[in-house]
Amino acid sequence: EVQLVESGGGLVQPGRSLRLSCTASGFTFGDYAMSWVRQAPGKGLEWVSFIRSKPYGGTTEYAASVKVRFTISRDDSKSIAYLQMNSLKTEDTAVYYCTRHKKFSSSWYNYFDYWGQGTLVTVSS
Amino acid sequence: EIVLTQSPATLSLSPGERATLSCRASQSVSSYLAWYQQKPDQAPRLLIYDASNRATGIPARFSGSGFGTDFTLTISSLEPEDFAVYFCQQRSNWPLTFGGGTKVEIK
């Protein structure tokens, strides 16, 4: 069974940092691209960050709203994806979901076929 | 950035009725559009990808259509568990973007 479990959320002051983790199980983590998607309270979904699998360079993409401040990374030996969030702003308050990209042959679609339960990040003084 | 506009914002229907949800893109996304369902306090679930392909385990009452800028999600006969919020998402261009959502509520 595929599982994605996020951790690391919490209350943080504006300008501070936080690192989220996503621990994956039930599939070969290294074969998949991964993304973080967030949802502000009572709002819609916003894609945040993406990382390719290592065979495709492990390169990354970011939403303009978080570029420079957030960094996505992965440790395939531990089946964990990370989101390092620096210089946090109040508008970063949201539930952060770890997502797996749907497989397509040896590559992937940029759609999300599995989601974690989410971890709440609250940025407030 | 491609903007996805969903309509209506809220759809009030009874179980057994047909639901038709719309998603319009600000520029062509070809067939690169997905639909997700989200229930309260749950993560979204992938329903449809590439406009018309049902994801694994999704019942046949869910269908998608469209190409270019106009897309539709149809639920042929609403079951009680289908009352939820539905989002569309495009993969044509970076950044990946979502629509604002349509809430399907019980009339």
Side-chain angles (χ1 to χ4, degrees):
Chain A
E1 180 194 4
V2 171
Q3 284 198 314
L4 300 171
V5 179
E6 302 95 338
S7 59
L11 175 63
V12 61
Q13 293 179 326
R16 303 299 290 263
S17 298
L18 208 58
R19 187 178 80 159
L20 305 183
S21 299
C22 168
T23 303
S25 61
F27 65 101
T28 304
F29 181 75
D31 288 348
Y32 285 81
M34 303 293 291
S35 274
W36 289 91
V37 175
R38 68 185 180 184
Q39 187 169 35
K43 301 296 184 182
L45 300 167
E46 180 186 16
W47 167 79
V48 172
S49 183
F50 162 83
I51 187 165
R52 293 173 177 83
S53 59
K54 288 287 172 58
Y56 288 85
T59 50
T60 58
E61 306 285 345
Y62 295 94
S65 58
V66 306
K67 205 166 187 177
V68 174
R69 299 188 299 123
F70 289 12
T71 303
I72 189 172
S73 61
R74 62 190 301 154
D75 184 338
D76 291 350
S77 69
K78 297 180 180 178
S79 297
I80 299 178
Y82 299 100
L83 186 67
Q84 177 67 42
M85 304 186 294
N86 298 332
S87 303
L88 281 161
K89 305 176 180 181
T90 55
E91 53 263 41
D92 294 320
T93 294
V95 173
Y96 285 74
Y97 293 103
C98 173
T99 70
R100 189 186 83 167
H101 283 242
K102 181 175 174 56
K103 204 80 156 63
F104 173 69
S105 185
S106 61
S107 182
W108 60 84
Y109 294 102
N110 285 333
Y111 301 127
F112 317 112
D113 64 349
Y114 281 92
W115 299 61
Q117 83 288 351
T119 188
L120 176 62
V121 173
T122 303
V123 185
S124 174
S125 54
Chain B
E1 167 173 323
I2 295 176
V3 176
L4 299 179
T5 302
Q6 291 188 241
S7 61
T10 304
L11 199 51
S12 298
L13 294 168
S14 300
E17 288 194 295
R18 182 184 189 90
T20 302
L21 288 67
S22 174
C23 177
R24 178 163 289 178
S26 59
Q27 64 188 76
S28 176
V29 298
S30 185
S31 62
Y32 302 146
L33 189 107
W35 292 92
Y36 298 83
Q37 176 193 67
Q38 187 178 32
K39 297 179 182 179
D41 298 319
Q42 292 186 19
R45 175 175 70 146
L46 178 65
L47 298 176
I48 301 287
Y49 66 96
D50 279 357
S52 61
N53 298 287
R54 273 190 301 277
T56 304
I58 301 304
R61 65 180 181 272
F62 291 92
S63 64
S65 64
F67 185 88
T69 61
D70 290 298
F71 298 85
T72 300
L73 174 69
T74 301
I75 310 171
S76 59
S77 178
L78 282 164
E79 297 287 339
E81 62 267 28
D82 299 336
F83 291 92
V85 179
Y86 293 83
F87 295 95
C88 57
Q89 177 242 321
Q90 65 81 23
R91 72 170 180 98
S92 176
N93 284 9
W94 295 101
L96 306 179
T97 52
F98 290 89
T102 290
K103 181 179 181 180
V104 178
E105 65 176 21
I106 299 176
K107 187 174 181 179

